[in-house]
Amino acid sequence: MVQTILAIYLFILVGSFLLERWLDLKNLRHSVPELPEELQGIYDENEYRRSQLYKKENTRFSFISSSFSLLLMTGAILLGVFGMLDRFLTGHLDSYYLVVLLFFGILGFVSDLLSTPFEAWDTFKIEERYGFNKTTSRTFVTDKLKGWLVMVIIGGGILLLLTWLYQATGRWFWLLAWGAITLFSLVMNLFYSNLIVPLFNKQTPLEDGPLRDAIEAFAKKAGYHLKNIYVIDGSKRSSKANAYFTGLGPKKRIVLYDTLITDLDTEEIVAVLAHEIGHYKKKHTLWGLLTGIVQTGIMLYLFSLFVAVPELSQALGADGASFHIGLIAFTILYSPLSMLLGIAGNMFSRRNEYQADAYAAENYRSEPLVSGLKKLNKNSLGNLTPHPLYVFFHYSHPPLLQRIRALNKPLTAENRPSAANKR
Ligand SMILES: [Zn+2]
């Protein structure tokens, strides 16, 4: 039985590795004989070649780093590292809480240290070579330290709470844990911009000037509070530009990267902002939060069933059923389902992107959004021709071509997102 379970773990780990690499390869080799009309003129010949090289280098990098992780994980399983660490800690510590904290603390810290050279390679070699990197080594190191601090406080806190609930309630543990995690994610959603983001970035309300005037005019028309629009110093780390909508109720905010403001002209920025307001008007953050809560419930329920099976922990080298080793076993067994949920989540997200684009086209204009998206794609050397299967698995946003086509479609009664037609 234990041997069979061990084989299942290895099968899942190797299988998902092979699937991912196969998708990568398909995507890398995918090209079209001639670019569709909508995509012509985005890159000149040299830029197009660079975008292909960038894609190739990223694929090679993910092959190397994921091979390393696979080797590490299968090695740890086959050598019984999890069981050994558990016996060592239990032998030296009286408190079970301390055992659990140190167990995950040590594993997390070691695996983070081992992955740091890969992160550094990505930032200072690949991103640097293509002119994207703005991260100094000082920022890189302080980011790491702050990341660990956040992980110790938040990750450690949640872990302690889960362990305590499991010890105290056993069978009904999942229901109480679900409630606690839901409460926590609601609080995080409200205070993320105030508590976590300032550790890493500076956010300032949008400055006065012609851009603010243009945005003000649009925000007023759309019924959106301008005091919720912030500019973030993304240029501290990368030249790539972005914008996002976050938070709920009074804590909602639209965040524009400073790089977006340098790259796009005023009309294009207003169009991007209109897209973000579209996410707000269509309640996409709320739906995202709700589906996340449902998924957490399913996951915790399944975990409560699995953790009671001693063989699942024994296959990882434990002596019997164990909460913390069971958690690792569950992470492996849950990963195929998590992949499926990820695909569903991406489908949902791509649909939301079309809706937000349609909102911007309807309430502002589609032309500046199209030209803004083209510029953003060009400045990040984006892949113009991703493989459809790769898109299906991994893209949270529709590919550029599909977005442009949807935006260029004349508005009809069917695809019109709201009654008011301001075009
Ligand atoms: Zn969006």
Side-chain angles (χ1 to χ4, degrees):
M1 179 70 174
V2 170
Q3 291 300 317
T4 316
I5 293 170
L6 183 65
I8 293 174
Y9 292 158
L10 296 175
F11 177 79
I12 290 176
L13 289 170
V14 174
S16 63
F17 170 82
L18 291 175
L19 174 66
E20 290 295 343
R21 300 296 70 78
W22 177 73
L23 282 171
D24 269 5
L25 210 62
K26 269 196 116 42
N27 194 42
L28 181 65
R29 292 193 179 146
H30 187 67
S31 62
V32 289
E34 200 188 351
L35 281 179
E37 195 195 324
E38 291 94 334
L39 298 180
Q40 282 175 17
I42 294 181
Y43 290 131
D44 62 29
E45 210 169 302
N46 182 41
E47 286 165 337
Y48 187 67
R49 200 177 47 82
R50 267 165 61 83
S51 82
Q52 297 292 96
L53 281 174
Y54 184 54
K55 176 169 79 166
K56 203 166 157 182
E57 199 150 347
N58 277 326
T59 310
R60 197 173 65 126
F61 174 76
S62 82
F63 176 75
I64 296 171
S65 62
S66 62
S67 303
F68 179 73
S69 317
L70 178 72
L71 216 64
L72 215 62
M73 190 62 184
T74 47
I77 292 177
L78 290 171
L79 295 172
V81 167
F82 301 112
M84 277 190 271
L85 180 62
D86 176 45
R87 273 185 291 278
F88 175 79
L89 291 174
T90 337
H92 287 80
L93 299 164
D94 292 328
S95 156
Y96 180 66
Y97 295 102
L98 220 52
V99 170
V100 174
L101 277 184
L102 276 176
F103 180 80
F104 286 107
I106 290 170
L107 288 177
F109 187 68
V110 169
S111 78
D112 195 274
L113 272 188
L114 290 171
S115 70
T116 300
F118 290 95
E119 275 169 52
W121 180 269
D122 185 33
T123 308
F124 297 112
K125 291 284 172 190
I126 302 178
E127 294 293 293
E128 183 79 41
R129 184 173 308 146
Y130 290 87
F132 296 134
N133 180 44
K134 299 281 175 261
T135 313
T136 61
S137 42
R138 190 195 154 91
T139 305
F140 186 82
V141 173
T142 49
D143 277 359
K144 260 281 146 207
L145 296 176
K146 288 177 199 166
W148 284 341
L149 186 75
V150 172
M151 198 55 218
V152 166
I153 295 172
I154 296 180
I158 292 181
L159 195 59
L160 267 184
L161 182 71
L162 291 184
T163 314
W164 176 68
L165 285 174
Y166 182 73
Q167 300 277 80
T169 59
R171 201 178 144 205
W172 295 106
F173 143 82
W174 72 274
L175 207 58
L176 292 166
W178 189 19
I181 290 181
T182 300
L183 195 69
F184 174 77
S185 55
L186 285 174
V187 171
M188 272 320 273
N189 197 290
L190 289 176
F191 295 102
Y192 174 75
S193 297
N194 303 88
L195 290 178
I196 307 294
V197 179
L199 288 176
F200 298 92
N201 282 93
K202 231 192 266 138
Q203 300 173 102
T204 39
L206 188 68
E207 277 174 24
D208 282 335
L211 176 63
R212 193 185 162 102
D213 295 341
I215 287 180
E216 205 154 334
F218 178 75
K220 204 171 168 189
K221 200 177 84 180
Y224 189 86
H225 274 292
L226 199 67
K227 75 172 177 42
N228 297 324
I229 300 171
Y230 287 81
V231 178
I232 197 171
D233 58 343
S235 60
K236 189 176 165 185
R237 295 191 184 79
S238 170
S239 64
K240 290 177 179 171
N242 208 345
Y244 63 88
F245 180 88
T246 177
L248 290 172
K251 287 292 184 184
K252 66 179 184 289
R253 64 171 72 184
I254 288 174
V255 180
L256 305 173
Y257 278 48
D258 55 354
T259 41
L260 186 94
I261 293 174
T262 26
D263 285 1
L264 304 191
D265 67 29
T266 302
E267 288 204 317
E268 289 163 345
I269 298 168
V270 177
V272 169
L273 186 103
H275 168 101
E276 298 306 329
I277 292 181
H279 279 309
Y280 162 65
K281 295 276 179 187
K282 302 276 167 193
K283 303 199 171 14
H284 292 158
T285 10
L286 188 66
W287 278 107
L289 196 67
L290 287 177
T291 49
I293 290 172
V294 173
Q295 279 186 28
T296 308
I298 297 172
M299 193 176 75
L300 285 165
Y301 175 68
L302 290 175
F303 173 63
S304 76
L305 298 181
F306 282 46
V307 74
V309 183
E311 286 85 356
L312 294 180
S313 298
Q314 282 163 351
L316 290 180
D319 299 323
S322 148
F323 175 73
H324 51 288
I325 298 191
L327 194 55
I328 293 188
F330 179 72
T331 323
I332 302 171
L333 290 173
Y334 186 71
S335 63
L337 181 60
S338 155
M339 191 186 74
L340 292 179
L341 291 172
I343 293 173
N346 279 334
M347 286 170 79
F348 182 63
S349 163
R350 290 194 298 267
R351 190 203 65 142
N352 290 349
E353 293 306 321
Y354 282 126
Q355 285 187 356
D357 279 352
Y359 177 89
E362 172 82 5
N363 294 284
Y364 190 59
R365 282 184 301 121
S366 60
E367 295 82 6
L369 187 55
V370 168
S371 68
L373 288 174
K374 282 183 178 174
K375 270 191 201 168
L376 291 176
N377 190 87
K378 176 191 167 94
N379 293 352
S380 60
L381 290 177
N383 182 6
L384 294 181
T385 53
H387 192 284
L389 208 55
Y390 191 87
V391 172
F392 179 75
F393 270 80
H394 290 306
Y395 270 45
S396 62
H397 288 57
L400 185 63
L401 177 65
Q402 274 75 16
R403 283 181 85 173
I404 295 177
R405 287 198 172 149
L407 279 165
N408 285 344
K409 234 186 255 168
L411 291 173
T412 62
E414 259 160 50
N415 65 17
R416 178 169 298 154
S418 70
N421 186 356
K422 302 266 167 54
R423 249 165 84 100

